[in-house]
């Protein structure tokens, strides 16, 4: 399947350029997200750290996907970042899948209206609702090796090759844990000679430090806070 997104590799140089290009928008959305987190205190726990959330936002701004698929919403923190990017782009629709619907109660109505479809239930029973024109795939659900093997075999073939894809909770440590989703995904990427990018403090400290310094240079205030930033980003092979 042909990729609708530009072929720019997702690497430090690309991410650095996007930070500079969208610095003002990041400052604005960061302020909104801080207010969102404060308003949801006690009912919502932000799940993405600042770098990985901002890189997700930046990739959506740069690639302008018609459809975004989010596997796992929990309280709606990642959902709100994804929707903010679509709002600021002026186009695109988010399709979110989860077995719990906490996000429905937390995501601001004005952010969701007209650009969000939430599907409650196990994604394994809802594959027919994955849009054929998916332009970004975001995965943050069950972190077991078994689930990773399932979505690599069943979900990934349903979305176009080349689209930006992110998988959360891979590098809380320098190496992924045994029997963990991250180990399976990294092996799958290695078999296909597909590079990945991570801002993980444990895995890529130099990248983490450089982007943290860039945020300070651009005057971007903390949103959730520094954190581990364990997400990986790659173009789906």
């Amino acid at each position: 399947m042909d990729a609708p997104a530009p072929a720019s590799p997702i690497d430090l140089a690309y991410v650095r350029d996007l930070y500079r290009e969208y610095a003002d928008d990041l400052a604005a959305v960061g302020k909104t997200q801080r207010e969102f987190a404060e308003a949801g205190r006690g009912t919502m726990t932000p799940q993405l750290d600042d770098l990985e959330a901002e890189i997700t936002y930046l990739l959506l701004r740069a690639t302008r996907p018609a459809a975004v698929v989010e596997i796992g919403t929990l309280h709606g923190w990642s959902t709100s970042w994804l929707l903010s990017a679509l709002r600021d782009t002026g186009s695109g629709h988010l399709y979110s899948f989860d077995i719990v619907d906490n996000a429905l109660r937390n995501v601001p109505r004005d952010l969701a209206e007209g650009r969000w479809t939430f599907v409650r239930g196990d994604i394994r029973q809802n594959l027919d609702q994955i849009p054929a024109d998916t332009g970004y795939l975001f995965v943050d659900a069950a972190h077991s090796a078994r689930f990773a093997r399932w979505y690599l075999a069943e979900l990934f073939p349903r979305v176009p090759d080349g689209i930006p894809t992110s998988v959360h909770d891979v590098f809380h440590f320098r190496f992924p844990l045994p029997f963990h989703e991250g180990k399976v995904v990294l092996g799958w990427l290695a078999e296909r000679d597909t590079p990945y990018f991570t801002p993980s403090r444990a895995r890529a400290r130099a990248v983490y430090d450089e982007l943290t310094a860039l945020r300070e240079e651009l005057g971007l205030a903390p949103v959730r806070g520094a954190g581990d930033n364990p997400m990986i980003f790659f173009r789906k092979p």
Side-chain angles (χ1 to χ4, degrees):
M1 302 172 74
D2 293 332
S8 300
I10 302 174
D11 57 18
L12 178 58
Y14 182 53
V15 169
R16 196 169 48 216
D17 288 346
L18 292 179
Y19 261 98
R20 294 191 181 281
E21 181 176 356
Y22 294 101
D24 290 344
D25 290 347
L26 274 180
V29 75
K31 178 177 182 296
T32 301
Q33 288 296 102
R34 283 192 297 276
E35 294 169 352
F36 177 43
E38 183 62 32
R41 188 181 296 273
T43 62
M44 180 190 67
T45 302
Q47 296 298 306
L48 296 184
D49 298 322
D50 289 358
L51 291 176
E52 58 193 1
E54 290 169 348
I55 294 169
T56 301
Y57 173 90
L58 291 170
L59 289 173
L60 265 67
R61 292 299 309 276
T63 58
R64 305 177 63 88
V68 177
V69 168
E70 178 189 28
I71 310 300
T73 61
L74 194 55
H75 299 301
W77 181 248
S78 59
T79 309
S80 63
W81 276 100
L82 295 165
L83 287 171
S84 294
L86 298 181
R87 176 201 61 204
D88 295 346
T89 298
S91 63
H93 195 92
L94 174 63
Y95 298 83
S96 299
F97 299 80
D98 206 325
I99 59 175
V100 297
D101 63 359
N102 299 331
L104 289 176
R105 296 186 291 275
N106 292 329
V107 173
R109 183 174 300 178
D110 62 335
L111 190 58
E113 191 170 0
R115 63 175 66 93
W116 187 33
T117 298
F118 178 85
V119 179
R120 183 176 183 180
D122 193 324
I123 182 59
R124 290 172 290 191
Q125 277 75 58
N126 289 288
L127 277 176
D128 59 336
Q129 299 194 56
I130 298 294
D133 62 345
T134 296
Y136 191 103
L137 178 60
F138 179 101
V139 182
D140 185 12
H143 297 302
S144 66
R146 180 179 181 181
F147 183 64
R149 286 191 291 268
W150 175 84
Y151 68 67
L152 291 171
E154 303 296 335
L155 170 61
F156 274 40
R158 289 177 176 261
V159 301
D161 292 346
I163 66 169
T165 302
S166 50
V167 178
H168 198 222
D169 289 318
V170 173
F171 283 123
H172 283 288
F173 306 97
R174 181 164 175 76
F175 299 100
L177 297 173
F179 313 112
H180 188 272
E181 167 192 29
K183 189 173 182 64
V184 174
V185 174
L186 293 175
W188 184 85
L189 291 172
E191 289 171 0
R192 290 156 179 80
D193 295 320
T194 300
Y196 63 85
F197 174 78
T198 181
S200 163
R201 180 167 53 186
R203 177 66 178 184
R205 185 59 188 256
V207 171
Y208 172 90
D209 287 345
E210 181 165 342
L211 291 178
T212 298
L214 178 59
R215 291 186 81 260
E216 294 176 358
E217 175 191 333
L218 296 173
L220 297 175
V223 183
R224 176 194 177 184
D228 293 339
N229 294 279
M231 182 167 274
I232 64 169
F233 301 85
F234 54 91
R235 289 194 177 275
K236 182 240 162 182

